[in-house]
């Protein structure tokens, strides 16, 4: 990789951010540049720097930045005065999306879901999912998991594990019980069994749940990937106890782990699935809650939102579905690339005593300390690689490269990462040896 | 107005909606067409029908559909591979927006706010507002008002008055007290005084509030416009009792009532303001929570969201701010058009014993019954006028025409409305006379 | 009244309280004596002081201290090794109580209630009442009133208006809406109408209530007595909206306002009634929740408590019911004595611009300031009259003399009160005149 | 034991219970007699039947029924017109109690607690404890345990594990997390470690707790006795995470497990302790919340209750403390008797594959099925032995005999139990063999 970004800490009128943008901003702090243009796996700052994007908008840009297919479809749509905003009215763009989603995604997988276009954010899709589960079951309590992340509005935030996020609620977060995720207590404890025992026990204090809400791979929580066996057990537990199984596939879905859904070929079918992030194919706000037709017990308008059914996103999502999901080529590419990352991470894990995590192209390397991870990703950024951390202590370096990345570029990016790991560990060892 | 839509109840593959879209859809039921294209005040269905839009995406399309200025800016941006999705990273588009917002909106009004780009939905902006108010004050309770509408995620939904919406929560909605809005108990009762009495009384059972959350005109709640006197009192009450004043300007802001903010020239400054709907200028998902700098006590990332800071929306919003808000022309137009509607509604109200409501171009005509209102708006739709109802019993016909509408077209639309009112009342009288 | 207590601020080993009793104690602060013996309307401290009791344990001692009838019944029962504690087993004492309660109280009043012996505190009776209402209706929200007091455990505390008490909860108090009591907004506003309007309005934000919980006279809240008309309206509103009417008769019942129940002859029948305080007839812990048989939907043990069904209290309560309620003599006495207080208070109210409040022998004189009230009651205590204040600001001097008090003693006590009012007002006037 | 009760299912005017007592009654169903008199370990019904009491009011009658020492003290007090009800005023009886409690209980154990006289029920003592913990720590969440029982008012009920009890709340029970008790996941899993892991993990979703609320032996939950090691760990975890340790000693305290407190000699000191049940020494309603002086941050009256400080109970409690706790005789007796039960249960457990549980004189025999347990206890009752079951499925036969029981009588009672176990197992085997 020949790119040599010319890092500049100077942002024209940087003061505008200090003056007018809330201190709640976060990524902008670790990456103090101003970006202008982006294409495929590359982002460009306004000082001539070029960056390889291993973050992909936290898996929102699975198909890379401004993919020419989606870009052209959107340009044509806008140029033709296609409906931009139509509340939940029927539009040509919506019809195209629904038809394509049915043909390309649902039918080949034998899935029978109805689509609810919620407000175009993941948290809204989760809110709709748990509202529906509570309505259908008549129960209040939702089971979520340690290290789970599901959003920042009050209902979804209650399902989120992170204490700093939860602390922002300003009110106690209720009606949710956080149970240990797969592997939480180490390899010898099957946490699904622990959950089953408490649900089966009328004196455990754990109320009968409306839903079990689970990510198959926890993106924000540290790239923890649940095993198919554990997930199947959780699905059975949900069924046995009259709870709905909600898979939050917002980060792990849309190809990130290989299949379109992260739970494909695992032997269970969720009652409800949430999608967002890469669903639009181009980074446009878009979210979807899918559920079995018999659960579609909403009254008209019982959950709504001004921007539900973003028509620009319908257009780009449809183009992405057709282009990437009409045959198996893309999925095979993703799996191959995922193995590239896995092999590299395995090697590093063995060498340095780290831990490899994740599935498909959703990978993490637990380096054991948030400080070390920050040193490494900071050095990467200085060399033009955008890469972030995750986990309870930000101790997991995560690779969420665009799925469309060329193998050679992927390897080049991993080389940068590896060299910075080596450098940091050498320093570390040096320090430790003193 | 010469347009004669050719209504057709036939939608190509209408079944796709039945098969694959959740029954939660609502507008699509009263307007069973499939729309494709839209421009300025007009929407076009796929059967050749043309419709005058008096709904404007519930005030999301204040500048009309696909305004050429914003459209061109967006086309250029996309064609140039401008960043589409960048989490909360600094981008050229964001800098432009912040600078323009400061220059065109804040400075001329002497306002000092910081901008928080929340998830791009109104409900997310409200959630952020009440989270911040609770964090800053250390209190839990929020005061909202009868007939208020603030969104559908759990925190915002608790602030919403509508029982059908609230019923969807599936859990009790807590930490909010709904107080009577201005005029709720008739013209002789000052409901601000009632609130003051209870807040001042340590035995009233009304806990000390973190915030008072108010719309200056209640869009979903029936076009109730609070008086400036009442709003000032509410602002004083908030201050006196250590609560923050949040104006939810999502529907009433961005010019709908004349000024950019609905509270301009009223003699008080909210602590927090929420904006969404028309903020992007073109119907793109975008939301903003504004607050005084001293309230900016967020930790980095304490409230976040994948689609916060929608760069396409930055581009169109910036274009709209520059085009419409750099001088007073637009505001004068809006006021004049608002008076046109008001005069027409006053006449109808007097003649038929209806009640005129609202402010600026945010107007309602309370015809006393949801059935009558539906008859009238249904007849309008058959004649190519898209117009909706509002209020606790859907008894208020609301006019939310694009603010850019030509006076002549506005009058033509009002003519259609008036003729259908007359027809419905004639039938009614006939029925009543039998 | 010849009694001249010899006030002594000396308590033998007063330190024991400082060392070992929690600072939560309250009455002991305003009345720094140690009491040993009590009889009828008199309490005796351990320094030879005698006190006339106008507090009666906040209406717990309606029949005075250690009434000889109840005392003898209890002595006999204990001497005979009558069951002291029997959980909820059938006992002779319980049978006697139930039979007597049916014969003496329910039958003559045409009431058909079932008795639930809750834990022997008022707050427990209230908790049981609201649990039952929520269970039967399937709704969560309970309507309580400004200045209402219903207890200190979490469910009852949520129904209590006082901010200082509420603040002790440590968690937000939910599922209760506090509505303005009769007269809260002055004589011109019918607060029952305000409540009706909001309950009838599907957009008011007031959820459908499980129950309306009301005191006919608010003892802790300032001796506010609701009018029969208002209470009837509230009863009708409850019925119309599917809510149960709960009268909390813990302080106002057992003869305090004249009849055994405070709502007799008012033209409505509560669905649920709570009793405690004077129910045992002698000050023993005892509480009762009464409800219509069709509401008796409890599962066995669904609400329980170790001390439910206090057998000593059964014995004394039965004796009290037989002695005082078998004919009308006692009720006539109470009414006459209540009028004595009322006339005296009316006179004082007129003379000094005070406000007379209450009903029967549950009377208050609002002197307008907590400081003035404390000056007066403090002076009374120094002269051997135990008398307390009430209300949001402790501005109401309350007379809760034992109902059995001789008219002459009652008048003597009122004389002491009046003389201290005059003294305080003279000082006040003097101060004001300076 | 020569007693031969003459069981009669006839209760004079049994109808009064059907007509007038709520169906919530429970013990009266399994023991359909009417009792009149009781003495020491014996209860007498009104048909001449005599019953040996192995239930002791669920550990309320540790000193037996109507102990002559307490009985005489109470008779003298009542005869002398001792104050019966005095709110929280200082009384001679209160002073005696506090002084005795300090001398006999606190000082010899080196404990420094303040006493709060809550409403005289266990649930009220627990409510006070968790309110105080929340107030002092400023946190909302309380950790309670599987199978824990803490009371039936809303705050305490939220801490109770039993689903049937919880279901009676009618609102979601919040602000409490139920963690697995010692041994819950079998002998190989240290549940204290599981708790520590989640509390130490900022992403576990378990909010920082105000308190950990624990019973050292779970009376209602199935006689589960926590090990001293586990309890010490829990105490350390509480301290490490800024939570207060509350030991609910309502059932296990007052000598039931040997010492006055159930946690004596275990190497930790709770921050808060609740007592009730046997505290009065005679079955009178009485409850106490003890806490370290530095936690005594109540405002006067911040938690109150009409019957707090039951003076009759002060008298009997003082007599009991002096008589039973001034030297070690009683404790030695209890330990010896506890071992008698333990040995018998061990033998039965080994023979029949049952499980022995508990500590001191708080013992259970898990017979594996609620049906079998009910058969056995029913047969015991027919032979004059009052004995009850416990546990999530009522599968644990519990022995809560009075602590003062003669060894010979205890053995005789255990003989009855054993013979009925043998009979039931013989039938069972016979049935199984068919």
């Amino acid at each position: 990789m020949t790119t040599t970004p010319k890092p500049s800490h100077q942002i024209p009128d940087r003061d505008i951010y200090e003056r007018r943008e809330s201190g709640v901003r976060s990524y902008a702090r670790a990456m103090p540049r101003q970006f202008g243009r982006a294409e495929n796996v590359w982002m460009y700052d306004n000082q001539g720097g070029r960056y390889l994007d291993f973050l992909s908008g936290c898996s929102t840009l699975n198909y890379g930045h401004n993919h020419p297919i989606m870009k052209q479809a959107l340009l044509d749509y806008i140029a033709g005065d296609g409906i931009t905003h139509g509340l939940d009215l029927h539009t040509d763009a919506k019809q195209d999306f629904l038809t394509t989603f049915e043909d390309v995604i649902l039918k080949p997988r034998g899935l029978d879901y109805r689509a609810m276009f919620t407000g175009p954010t993941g948290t809204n899709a989760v809110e709709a999912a748990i509202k529906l589960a509570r309505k259908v079951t008549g129960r209040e309590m939702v089971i979520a998991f340690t290290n789970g992340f599901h959003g920042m509005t009050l209902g979804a935030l209650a399902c989120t594990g992170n204490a700093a996020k939860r602390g922002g609620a300003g009110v106690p977060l209720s009606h949710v019980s956080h149970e240990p995720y797969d592997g939480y207590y180490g390899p010898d404890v099957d946490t699904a069994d622990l959950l089953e025992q408490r649900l089966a026990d009328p004196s455990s204090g754990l109320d009968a749940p409306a839903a079990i809400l689970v990510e198959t791979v926890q993106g924000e929580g540290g790239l923890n990937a649940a095993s198919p066996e554990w997930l199947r057990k959780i699905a059975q537990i949900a069924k046995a106890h009259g709870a709905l199984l909600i898979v939050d596939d917002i980060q792990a879905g849309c190809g990130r782990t290989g299949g379109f859904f992260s739970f494909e070929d695992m032997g269970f079918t969720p009652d409800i699935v949430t999608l967002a992030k890469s669903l639009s194919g181009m980074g446009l706000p878009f979210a979807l809650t899918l559920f079995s037709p018999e659960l579609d017990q909403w009254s008209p308008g019982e959950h709504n939102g001004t921007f539900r059914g973003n028509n620009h996103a319908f257009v780009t999502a449809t183009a992405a579905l057709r282009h990437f999901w009409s045959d198996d080529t893309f999925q095979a590419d993703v799996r191959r690339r995922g193995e590239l990352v896995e092999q590299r991470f395995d090697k590093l894990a063995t060498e340095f005593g780290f831990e490899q995590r994740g599935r498909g192209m959703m990978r993490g390397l637990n380096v054991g300390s948030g400080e070390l991870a920050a040193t490494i990703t900071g050095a990467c950024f200085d060399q033009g690689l955008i890469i972030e951390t995750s986990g309870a202590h930000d101790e997991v370096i995560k690779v969420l490269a665009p799925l469309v990345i060329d193998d050679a570029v992927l390897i080049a990016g991993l080389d940068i990462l590896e060299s910075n790991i080596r450098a940091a560990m050498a320093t570390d060892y040096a320090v430790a040896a003193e």
Side-chain angles (χ1 to χ4, degrees), chain A:
Chain A
M1 192 169 73
T2 59
T3 181
T4 21
K6 302 193 174 74
S8 158
H9 290 268
Q10 191 188 355
I11 291 176
D13 189 15
R14 192 200 168 91
D15 283 352
I16 187 71
Y17 301 111
E18 294 297 323
R19 258 200 334 272
R20 292 298 166 208
E21 188 176 12
S22 166
V24 79
R25 65 190 182 278
S26 57
Y27 290 102
R29 296 169 186 274
M31 306 182 208
R33 299 292 183 284
Q34 182 165 307
F35 297 89
R37 202 163 58 80
E39 196 190 350
N40 190 258
V41 301
W42 303 102
M43 299 184 75
Y44 301 87
D45 73 20
N46 62 0
Q47 305 292 308
R50 187 173 86 148
Y51 301 81
L52 176 58
D53 186 359
F54 266 29
L55 177 55
S56 303
C58 294
S59 198
T60 305
L61 297 160
N62 283 357
Y63 314 105
H65 291 266
N66 296 323
H67 190 281
I69 302 279
M70 283 80 94
K71 171 180 162 183
Q72 194 55 52
L74 183 57
L75 284 170
D76 293 347
Y77 187 78
I78 297 172
D81 283 327
I83 296 274
T84 298
H85 183 274
L87 295 166
D88 67 6
L89 290 173
H90 299 321
T91 63
D92 296 347
K94 189 202 275 188
Q95 179 183 309
D96 272 4
F97 173 77
L98 282 171
T99 306
T100 306
F101 193 76
E102 183 180 56
D103 288 347
V104 174
I105 301 299
L106 295 181
K107 279 190 184 161
R109 289 162 180 78
L111 293 170
D112 184 16
Y113 285 134
R114 290 225 180 123
M116 173 179 180
F117 301 111
T118 66
T121 64
T123 196
N124 203 303
V126 170
E127 295 261 349
I130 59 181
K131 280 167 77 168
L132 184 62
R134 284 167 170 156
K135 177 185 168 105
V136 167
T137 62
R139 300 173 177 177
E140 284 103 356
M141 209 268 292
V142 167
I143 287 176
F145 291 94
T146 50
N147 287 293
F149 180 89
H150 302 283
M152 299 296 272
T153 51
L154 209 58
L157 183 54
C159 301
T160 292
N162 187 284
K165 309 290 189 207
R166 294 172 67 80
V171 290
L173 294 169
S174 300
H175 316 311
V176 175
S177 184
H178 292 264
E179 299 299 317
Y181 193 69
D182 190 18
Y184 188 76
Y185 291 134
D188 297 335
V189 179
D190 185 332
T191 59
D193 290 347
L194 302 191
L195 177 58
E196 166 62 27
Q197 180 174 338
R198 285 172 66 216
L199 284 175
D201 175 357
S203 243
S204 71
L206 190 60
D207 296 324
I212 302 183
L213 170 63
V214 68
E215 300 158 282
T216 65
V217 186
Q218 296 183 317
E220 299 304 301
L223 282 303
N224 312 301
S227 72
E229 295 71 33
W230 186 85
L231 288 164
R232 268 197 301 279
K233 249 190 197 175
I234 293 294
Q236 288 157 2
I237 289 170
K239 191 163 196 173
H241 293 283
L244 301 180
L245 179 69
I246 307 174
V247 170
D248 181 342
D249 231 14
I250 289 171
Q251 185 160 158
C254 297
R256 177 54 60 184
T257 59
F260 184 81
F261 294 111
S262 73
F263 53 81
E264 291 176 18
D265 305 319
M266 283 197 176
F268 67 93
T269 304
D271 300 292
I272 306 181
V273 181
T274 56
L275 291 173
K277 291 202 184 270
S278 277
L279 181 63
S280 80
M282 194 175 152
L284 301 179
F286 192 31
L288 201 53
T289 302
L290 301 169
F291 34 77
S292 303
E294 71 271 17
L295 301 178
D296 191 13
Q297 300 175 17
W298 291 110
S299 306
E302 195 172 359
H303 184 92
N304 62 22
T306 294
F307 297 114
R308 67 189 182 280
N310 178 0
N311 278 273
H312 283 192
F314 283 141
V315 170
T316 54
T318 303
L321 291 178
R322 283 192 188 133
H323 184 71
F324 289 101
W325 296 98
S326 293
D327 63 33
D328 293 342
T329 320
F330 180 63
Q331 302 183 50
D333 286 348
V334 174
R335 285 187 185 123
R336 187 185 64 252
R337 288 166 191 148
E339 283 161 20
L340 280 178
V341 184
E342 186 180 20
Q343 287 157 15
R344 183 71 69 102
F345 275 15
D346 272 343
K347 198 188 68 169
L348 291 165
T350 305
E351 183 173 344
F352 293 110
F354 296 159
E355 184 197 2
Q356 206 265 119
R357 290 181 177 175
R359 194 150 62 86
M361 279 287 277
M362 191 169 183
R363 295 282 170 180
L365 190 64
N366 177 3
V367 300
S369 117
E371 207 182 343
L372 176 58
T375 301
I376 295 165
T377 56
C380 289
F381 184 72
D382 288 340
Q383 296 170 25
L385 179 67
I386 290 175
I387 186 166
E388 262 290 348
T389 59
S390 166
H393 304 278
D394 295 320
E395 75 282 21
V396 182
I397 297 171
K398 71 178 170 187
V399 170
L400 294 173
L403 306 181
V404 296
I405 192 169
D406 276 349
D407 291 11
V409 179
L410 176 59
I411 290 167
L414 293 171
D415 288 344
I416 295 177
L417 174 58
E418 178 170 339
S419 73
N420 284 305
I421 289 173
R422 291 191 181 284
M425 295 305 287
T427 312
D428 245 36
Y429 288 143
V431 170
E434 278 173 18

